[in-house]
C-alpha cells in the first residue's frame, strides 16, 4: 500500500526528532562540563528517544482504528515528556526537536481523520 505525502513527511519528521533528541541527550550524557554528564536524566531521554523511534515505526504500520489512536496518544505523551525532560536538562535543542516531532505527528495522524468515502455504482 502506498503512503500519502503527509504520512511520509510526518514519519520522517518524527524520526528526525527522535534521532536529534537521541544525539543531543547522548552528547550531554557523555561530554564533560555539560552539567548532566553521567546522569540518569540524560540517559533516560536517550532511551525515550529510541522508544519514540519505535513508536513511529509502529504508527506507520498501524491501520485505522483503536490501535492507531492509542499509538498516537502514547506518542504524544512521549513527545511532551521528552521535551519537558530536555528543558529540565538545559539541553534546549531537545524541546525544539520535539516540536518538530509534534508537527510530524500531526501530519502523520491527519490521514486517520479523513473518512473513506467511495462511490459505489
Amino acid at each position: 500500500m502506498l503512503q500519502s505525502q503527509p504520512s511520509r513527511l510526518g514519519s520522517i519528521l518524527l524520526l528526525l526528532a527522535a534521532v536529534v533528541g537521541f544525539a543531543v541527550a547522548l552528547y550531554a550524557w557523555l561530554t564533560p562540563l555539560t552539567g548532566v554528564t553521567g546522569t540518569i536524566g540524560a540517559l533516560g531521554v536517550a532511551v525515550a528517544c529510541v522508544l519514540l523511534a519505535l513508536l513511529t515505526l509502529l504508527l506507520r504500520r498501524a491501520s485505522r482504528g483503536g490501535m492507531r489512536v492509542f499509538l498516537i496518544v502514547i506518542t504524544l505523551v512521549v513527545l511532551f515528556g521528552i521535551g519537558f525532560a530536555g528543558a529540565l536538562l538545559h539541553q534546549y535543542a531537545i524541546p525544539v526537536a520535539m516540536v518538530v516531532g509534534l508537527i510530524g505527528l500531526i501530519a502523520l495522524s491527519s490521514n486517520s481523520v479523513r473518512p473513506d468515502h467511495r462511490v459505489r455504482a
Side-chain angles (χ1 to χ4, degrees):
M1 180 167 101
L2 295 175
Q3 289 189 350
S4 66
Q5 193 67 16
S7 174
R8 186 181 316 247
L9 177 66
S11 45
I12 288 173
L13 286 176
L14 262 172
L15 284 174
L16 179 69
V19 167
V20 168
F22 177 78
V24 172
L26 198 62
Y27 172 80
W29 187 63
L30 293 174
T31 306
L33 300 177
T34 58
V36 292
T37 306
T39 62
I40 193 77
L43 184 61
V45 169
V47 170
C49 287
V50 171
L51 176 67
L52 179 63
L54 290 174
L55 283 170
T56 302
L57 296 176
L58 285 174
L59 192 56
R60 285 186 65 180
R61 299 268 183 200
S63 62
R64 294 185 174 143
M67 185 62 163
R68 184 169 176 85
V69 172
F70 175 74
L71 287 173
I72 288 171
V73 169
I74 293 299
T75 305
L76 185 65
V77 169
V78 169
L79 277 171
F80 279 116
I82 293 172
F84 183 69
L88 290 178
L89 293 172
H90 297 286
Q91 302 298 319
Y92 297 111
I94 295 174
V96 170
M98 294 309 117
V99 169
V100 171
L102 180 62
I103 293 168
L105 181 63
I106 291 169
L108 188 60
S109 64
S110 67
N111 289 344
S112 65
V113 175
R114 295 183 194 127
D116 188 20
H117 295 294
R118 294 184 182 175
V119 177
R120 295 183 188 196

